[in-house]
Amino acid sequence: MNLADSTPAMNSLLGSEADSQRTLYPYVTGTSVVGIKYKDGILLAADMGGSYGSTLRYKTVERLKPVGKHSIIGASGEISDFQEIMRYLDELILYDNMWDDGNSLGPKEVHNYLTRVMYNRRNKFNPLWNSLVLGGVKNGQKYLGTVNMIGVHYEDNHVATGFGNHLARPILRDEWHENLTFEEGVKLLEKCMRVLLYRDRSAVNKLQIAKITEAGVTISQPYSLKTFWDFSAFKNPTVGAEGSW
Amino acid sequence: MTKQQANWSPYDNNGGTCVAIAGADYCVIAADTRMSTGYSILTRDYSKISQLADKSVMASSGFQADVRALQKVLAARHLIYQHQHNKQMSCPAMAQLLSNTLYYKRFFPYYAFNVLGGLDNEGKGCVFTYDAVGSYERVGYSSQGSGATLITPFLDNQLKSPSPLLLPAKDAVTPLSESEAIDLVKTCFASATERDIYTGDKLEIVILNASGLRREYMELRKD
């Protein structure tokens, strides 16, 4: 029994009229985002799938977006909530620009803002159902952080959301090192994304890689990974147990 | 039509262990730097220790988002105190503030398990230990978090603290030297790391004494 739910404050929030006003469960979702620091900045990777439960409904969802001059955001979870977050961020960057004082929000500041937004929504029992990756470079300082729907946040040299935490982080812990070149970084991310493609049911084989350096943001055109099904176990899957599948 | 039950929890346990030991003229506050969720490690390098005032250091484990929010609230309140009183908050004052802040959210608690360490108004070491809703007491040493059940009995044995029921009250502050206390803390964490999956990676130790604040680190097992 959740004691917190039985207080007078919670009763009105949990009544059925209030239910239509709060996020109860996600509808259209994106899967993992993976991010790494490399020599010149940050690399993020995410596929372009938008799942509607078990249906792969949308196959060209851009889950990586630039934020201002110094940051990129990658989102997994509810796509409509990500679009709402982009509206919040666009407003944030607009007000930042309107000061016209030569100052601009860096990735650390944007990450902190997002953390506060996510935590505050969780406090009101109406979360933005996302796990976000925020990366960027400002004045030579690289920054890579993540925050999820209940406000848990941290920064590290490599981060991932959802399934990426289980499948990609171990690869990154083994093979990431300081001063990866761009080519090495992309190869490492592709290795992670390939494992996710093999093992995550909601992954699709159409992905983008986003790069941010002091010079600016580049988000690649969508492309597919080569997959390898030539393993002998895949060729004769029922050998040793004829009649099974 | 049955009422919709939430299928998400506003809480998570991000693990970790905190310890604090008070000495005659110093205080040692320590916590591991591992942050986990479920059976995954999120990051190996996350500090759970926050300096709230000149002579107050808090270590908190539990739900990381609540811990961070709590640290921010206390930092803001301390800044206001400094503006209003033109001085730093003493450790016992901060202890009361922390208790009140936690109880304020009695019906939607900060899922944070705190130990507050520092120097009292006489320069003696003090440690305050809390539960999630603000009940607290001053003790000679304390441990909170996922490894607390492993560490507390060991500290009871090593520090031979006098019973709090004795009259006249005997001081629970340890007669150990500063370096002996630091070694004890390192031993606690090395042991807890062996058996608690949520404790490990690195140990951060903060030592407060008359000369100020000092930080030490020690590697722990990463499995």
Side-chain angles (χ1 to χ4, degrees):
Chain A
M1 184 175 91
N2 195 344
L3 280 171
D5 291 347
S6 49
T7 67
M10 288 313 305
N11 270 331
S12 55
L13 269 176
L14 292 175
S16 42
E17 343 83 56
D19 273 1
S20 62
Q21 303 295 322
R22 298 181 301 123
T23 305
L24 293 173
Y25 29 73
Y27 284 86
V28 180
T29 56
T31 184
S32 324
V33 178
V34 188
I36 56 174
K37 284 189 190 169
Y38 80 107
K39 186 161 65 84
D40 306 322
I42 312 290
L43 285 168
L44 292 193
D47 69 22
M48 303 193 74
S51 306
Y52 184 64
S54 51
T55 313
L56 289 176
R57 175 68 183 84
Y58 300 102
K59 298 195 187 172
T60 313
V61 178
E62 288 181 13
R63 299 196 290 117
L64 303 172
K65 297 271 186 196
V67 179
K69 289 196 287 264
H70 304 287
S71 319
I72 31 176
I73 184 174
S76 64
E78 171 62 55
I79 299 296
S80 64
D81 280 348
F82 176 47
Q83 291 169 344
E84 182 80 351
I85 287 168
M86 287 315 298
R87 288 164 58 94
Y88 281 134
L89 288 175
D90 287 342
E91 188 185 41
L92 181 75
I93 299 295
L94 178 71
Y95 275 89
D96 188 40
N97 290 339
M98 285 304 105
W99 283 106
D100 199 21
D101 57 359
N103 222 332
S104 50
L105 290 169
K108 215 171 157 59
E109 289 87 66
V110 177
H111 184 227
N112 190 59
Y113 171 80
L114 285 172
T115 302
R116 288 302 110 214
V117 168
M118 302 301 273
Y119 184 68
N120 272 288
R121 289 288 296 255
R122 164 260 184 201
N123 283 346
K124 295 190 272 197
F125 277 83
N126 185 18
L128 289 160
W129 205 291
N130 297 105
S131 291
L132 307 168
V133 171
L134 201 296
V137 195
K138 191 171 175 216
N139 298 333
Q141 295 272 53
K142 297 181 283 228
Y143 184 88
L144 181 60
T146 179
V147 57
N148 73 6
M149 65 186 262
I150 51 173
V152 172
H153 60 282
Y154 58 94
E155 42 169 316
D156 209 338
N157 294 319
H158 46 78
V159 297
T161 67
F163 262 94
N165 266 317
H166 294 103
L167 298 172
R169 289 303 285 293
I171 298 174
L172 295 170
R173 286 206 181 98
D174 201 27
E175 299 186 22
W176 184 91
H177 57 86
E178 293 269 7
N179 297 319
L180 288 162
T181 65
F182 174 72
E183 290 74 25
E184 287 173 332
V186 170
K187 248 183 92 180
L188 189 51
L189 280 180
E190 284 183 347
K191 184 171 183 177
C192 295
M193 296 304 285
R194 185 170 292 110
V195 170
L196 287 166
L197 182 59
Y198 287 138
R199 292 294 179 177
D200 178 5
R201 273 194 336 182
S202 12
V204 298
N205 196 1
K206 188 171 169 194
L207 69 143
Q208 288 180 303
I209 300 219
K211 170 179 83 143
I212 181 163
T213 63
E214 196 73 55
V217 178
T218 335
I219 303 183
S220 73
Q221 285 301 307
Y223 69 103
S224 300
L225 293 170
K226 270 185 68 156
T227 54
F228 306 94
W229 299 97
D230 253 7
F231 296 109
S232 54
F234 291 150
K235 281 196 205 151
N236 262 326
T238 61
V239 83
E242 295 296 332
S244 62
W245 62 93
Chain B
M1 178 77 145
T2 47
K3 188 167 89 170
Q4 269 281 12
Q5 292 293 341
N7 46 12
W8 65 283
S9 168
Y11 293 113
D12 189 15
N13 189 352
N14 302 118
T17 309
C18 311
V19 168
I21 302 179
D25 60 351
Y26 67 86
C27 188
V28 176
I29 304 99
D32 68 326
T33 63
R34 173 177 285 180
M35 190 172 135
S36 346
T37 180
Y39 285 114
S40 297
I41 296 177
L42 292 175
T43 185
R44 299 190 190 274
D45 196 9
Y46 192 84
S47 175
K48 297 182 186 58
I49 301 182
S50 167
Q51 185 178 17
L52 301 175
D54 254 3
K55 304 205 171 127
S56 301
V57 172
M58 177 175 76
S60 320
S61 72
F63 173 44
Q64 184 258 0
D66 274 350
V67 166
R68 193 47 101 225
L70 181 63
Q71 289 171 349
K72 279 179 167 240
V73 165
L74 292 170
R77 290 299 302 272
H78 185 235
L79 191 58
I80 294 169
Y81 182 95
Q82 286 180 280
H83 288 152
Q84 291 174 339
H85 299 269
N86 197 22
K87 63 172 184 168
Q88 293 274 327
M89 269 177 94
S90 67
C91 196
M94 186 58 85
Q96 186 67 54
L97 178 63
L98 173 53
S99 170
N100 293 153
T101 307
L102 290 169
Y103 197 79
Y104 193 76
K105 279 188 29 100
R106 168 66 177 79
F107 298 109
F108 184 15
Y110 288 112
Y111 191 76
F113 299 99
N114 310 293
V115 284
L116 181 71
L119 302 170
D120 66 13
N121 292 313
E122 296 156 17
K124 265 173 51 177
C126 60
V127 170
F128 298 89
T129 189
Y130 295 79
D131 72 0
V133 286
S135 115
Y136 80 113
E137 84 179 305
R138 180 170 177 176
V139 288
Y141 61 91
S142 176
S143 170
Q144 291 280 357
S146 57
T149 46
L150 299 165
I151 291 177
T152 305
F154 176 63
L155 286 177
D156 288 340
N157 173 266
Q158 293 296 305
L159 294 174
K160 294 186 181 26
S161 202
S163 166
L165 302 168
L166 283 174
L167 279 175
K170 257 223 211 122
D171 209 355
V173 152
T174 179
L176 287 178
S177 75
E178 188 183 293
S179 51
E180 284 173 328
I182 294 171
D183 269 349
L184 185 61
V185 159
K186 289 181 178 175
T187 309
C188 286
F189 274 88
S191 310
T193 302
E194 292 289 312
R195 293 289 182 173
D196 176 24
I197 59 174
Y198 298 110
T199 301
D201 292 331
K202 204 163 67 175
L203 172 62
E204 182 184 9
I205 312 174
V206 170
I207 306 106
L208 263 178
N209 54 26
S211 1
L213 186 142
R214 187 175 102 244
R215 224 171 278 259
E216 265 187 52
Y217 292 95
M218 183 182 92
E219 291 296 315
L220 295 171
R221 284 183 64 156
K222 298 174 188 339
D223 61 359

